[in-house]
Amino acid sequence: MKHAGSAALDALADMLAEIRGHGRLVERRPGVFYLKGRAFLHFHEDASGLHADLRSGAEWERFRVETAAERRTFLAALRRIPLLRDRPVRSR
């Protein structure tokens, strides 16, 4: 599964704007975020749609982010990350 290209990331623009507003995350490449110097979040695209891979401890958790409902579910999971709780991602 390949990392999401610019057209795919454009489709996620509203969600990415919220993620980019989070003070602790560093976007080293478009759609690839680091937390405390460690890869934390990135996006993929394939025939089944767009997906977000979110680091959960030592493992990666995959979220489908094709629909608005799926994006809300993903953002809720992001808000539950303990290191991000003091600087929450705001919903629109």
Side-chain angles (χ1 to χ4, degrees):
M1 184 178 291
K2 72 175 193 158
H3 279 137
S6 60
L9 294 174
D10 287 348
L12 301 174
D14 288 345
M15 184 177 71
L16 287 171
E18 292 183 31
I19 295 168
R20 288 174 177 136
H22 198 289
R24 292 188 182 221
L25 297 178
V26 175
E27 188 175 22
R28 292 196 181 167
R29 292 190 327 258
V32 179
F33 295 87
Y34 284 70
L35 176 65
K36 299 179 99 179
R38 189 173 181 197
F40 178 72
L41 167 65
H42 57 267
F43 296 89
H44 292 281
E45 60 179 314
D46 68 8
S48 68
L50 300 172
H51 302 270
D53 284 350
L54 177 65
R55 185 180 295 277
S56 178
E59 303 294 321
W60 289 93
E61 186 174 356
R62 175 154 294 166
F63 293 84
R64 184 174 151 93
V65 291
E66 191 70 27
T67 68
E70 291 167 341
R71 292 174 192 160
R72 284 191 300 272
T73 299
F74 167 73
L75 288 172
L78 188 63
R79 285 185 207 98
R80 288 191 297 270
I81 303 294
L83 287 173
L84 302 180
R85 285 190 185 157
D86 63 335
R87 293 185 187 180
V89 176
R90 294 175 296 282
S91 287
R92 290 184 178 206

